[in-house]
């Protein structure tokens, strides 16, 4: 007689199920029987999967109500901004405003510039003598963040950007990020002040960040926009430099 999966002790069954891809567990195994449904909906299986893939940090947090969501959010965690450093010129950036001589992409460190803190970043976008802006709209559903997750769990949405001036020119920088509904109504917004970098600056790269949380149900898109200009109105590209922009949905 064959030993049925049913007669396995629960910890053994959980270990077997943990080898399966999460999607199969949720869409397939949950439907097998009531017992399997309870296992897939329970915490033990997902805690094990988190441990196996090194998604830690939450074991200590009693606040992790939904280990399944924590697993999916950890698994998906990546920068949702495409072409954040100009490696593909202006690809993926829309609503581009090209004031003065417009946006340009340059190699780090650039004239009168500094190297970036991470060796993985090789280029940056640079602005001109009138406002240059560019934006990117992230479709959360297309990126795999389903509606119930956004509406109920409301995972943190972390925005980061990096900007720098060049030592011989003053410049301005602005960041504006909006969380949008299905109809692109603004549900939450973060706008930096206009940051002014003086002419005799050290050209250091500065990180700016903002975290959206408890933003309410209905968020379907993130609209990231940034830009700037120089303050001397010199022809060419003496305005603020930006790179390594990121939007992450955090577990």
């Amino acid at each position: 007689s064959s030993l049925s999966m049913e007669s396995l002790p629960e910890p053994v069954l959980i270990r077997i199920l943990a080898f399966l891809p999460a999607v199969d567990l949720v869409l397939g195994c949950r439907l097998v029987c009531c017992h399997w449904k309870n296992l897939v909906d329970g915490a033990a299986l997902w805690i094990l999967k988190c441990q196996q893939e090194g998604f830690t940090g939450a074991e200590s947090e009693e606040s992790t109500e939904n280990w399944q969501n924590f697993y999916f959010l950890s698994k998906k965690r990546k920068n949702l901004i495409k072409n954040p450093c100009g490696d593909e010129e202006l690809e993926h950036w829309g609503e581009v405003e090209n004031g003065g001589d417009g946006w340009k992409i340059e190699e780090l460190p650039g004239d009168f510039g500094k190297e970036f803190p991470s060796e993985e970043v090789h280029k940056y976008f640079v602005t001109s003598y009138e406002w240059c802006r560019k934006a990117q709209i992230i479709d959360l559903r297309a990126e795999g963040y389903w509606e119930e997750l956004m509406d109920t769990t409301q995972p943190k949405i972390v925005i980061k950007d990096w900007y720098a001036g060049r030592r011989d020119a003053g410049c301005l920088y602005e960041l504006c990020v909006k969380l949008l509904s299905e109809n692109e109504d603004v549900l939450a917004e973060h706008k930096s002040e206009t940051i002014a970098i003086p002419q005799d600056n050290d050209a250091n790269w500065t990180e700016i960040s903002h975290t959206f949380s408890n933003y309410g149900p209905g968020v379907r898109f993130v609209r990231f926009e940034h830009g700037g200009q120089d303050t001397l109105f010199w022809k060419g590209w003496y305005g603020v430099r930006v790179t390594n922009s990121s939007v992450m949905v955090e577990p």
Side-chain angles (χ1 to χ4, degrees), residues 79 84-85 106-110 113-125 160-165 202-208 241-246:
N79 184 5
C85 306
E106 293 179 348
E107 298 270 338
L108 279 154
K114 282 234 176 98
E115 283 293 357
F116 192 76
S118 157
E119 288 174 12
E120 279 137 47
V121 179
H122 306 290
K123 296 180 179 179
Y124 57 83
F125 302 89
K160 293 183 178 171
D161 200 18
W162 289 81
Y163 65 90
D202 55 13
N204 276 340
W205 285 96
T206 302
E207 184 182 45
I208 182 170
R241 300 166 169 185
V242 294
T243 195
N244 208 35
S245 314
S246 66

Side-chain angles (χ1 to χ4, degrees), residues 174-194:
E174 274 180 14
L175 170 70
C176 178
V177 186
K178 297 173 180 175
L179 305 186
L180 307 176
S181 73
E182 180 78 38
N183 309 322
E184 306 205 357
D185 300 321
V186 178
L187 301 180
E189 179 174 11
H190 173 72
K191 203 173 184 339
S192 73
E193 55 196 342
T194 302

Side-chain angles (χ1 to χ4, degrees), residues 78-171:
K78 65 166 184 154
N79 184 5
L80 300 174
I81 291 274
K82 298 178 172 71
N83 185 25
C85 306
D87 293 319
E88 304 167 73
E89 295 296 302
L90 280 166
E91 191 72 31
H92 303 295
W93 291 95
E95 300 173 66
V96 177
E97 192 179 318
N98 280 308
D101 288 323
W103 285 98
K104 188 184 177 202
I105 286 104
E106 293 179 348
E107 298 270 338
L108 279 154
D111 295 339
F112 293 92
K114 282 234 176 98
E115 283 293 357
F116 192 76
S118 157
E119 288 174 12
E120 279 137 47
V121 179
H122 306 290
K123 296 180 179 179
Y124 57 83
F125 302 89
V126 57
T127 58
S128 189
Y129 57 86
E130 283 169 357
W131 272 100
C132 295
R133 286 188 179 84
K134 61 189 178 69
Q136 209 171 114
I137 293 183
I138 293 155
D139 180 340
L140 292 166
R141 272 172 309 194
E143 296 290 349
Y145 296 98
W146 59 97
E147 296 181 7
E148 199 218 348
L149 178 77
M150 296 311 302
D151 295 347
T152 309
T153 305
Q154 294 173 31
K156 288 195 286 290
I157 300 173
V158 181
I159 314 298
K160 293 183 178 171
D161 200 18
W162 289 81
Y163 65 90
R166 43 184 284 164
R167 283 194 303 278
D168 58 344
C171 61

Side-chain angles (χ1 to χ4, degrees), residues 5-6 8-18 25 29-30 33-47 67-68:
M5 293 276 282
E6 291 308 305
L8 290 172
E10 196 161 280
V12 176
L13 184 54
I14 285 175
R15 284 199 169 275
I16 294 170
L17 290 174
L25 289 169
C29 299
R30 269 186 96 245
C33 63
C34 200
H35 181 50
W36 282 32
K37 179 181 182 294
N38 292 338
L39 289 182
V40 173
D41 290 346
L45 173 60
W46 299 100
I47 291 172
W67 280 94
Q68 188 176 319

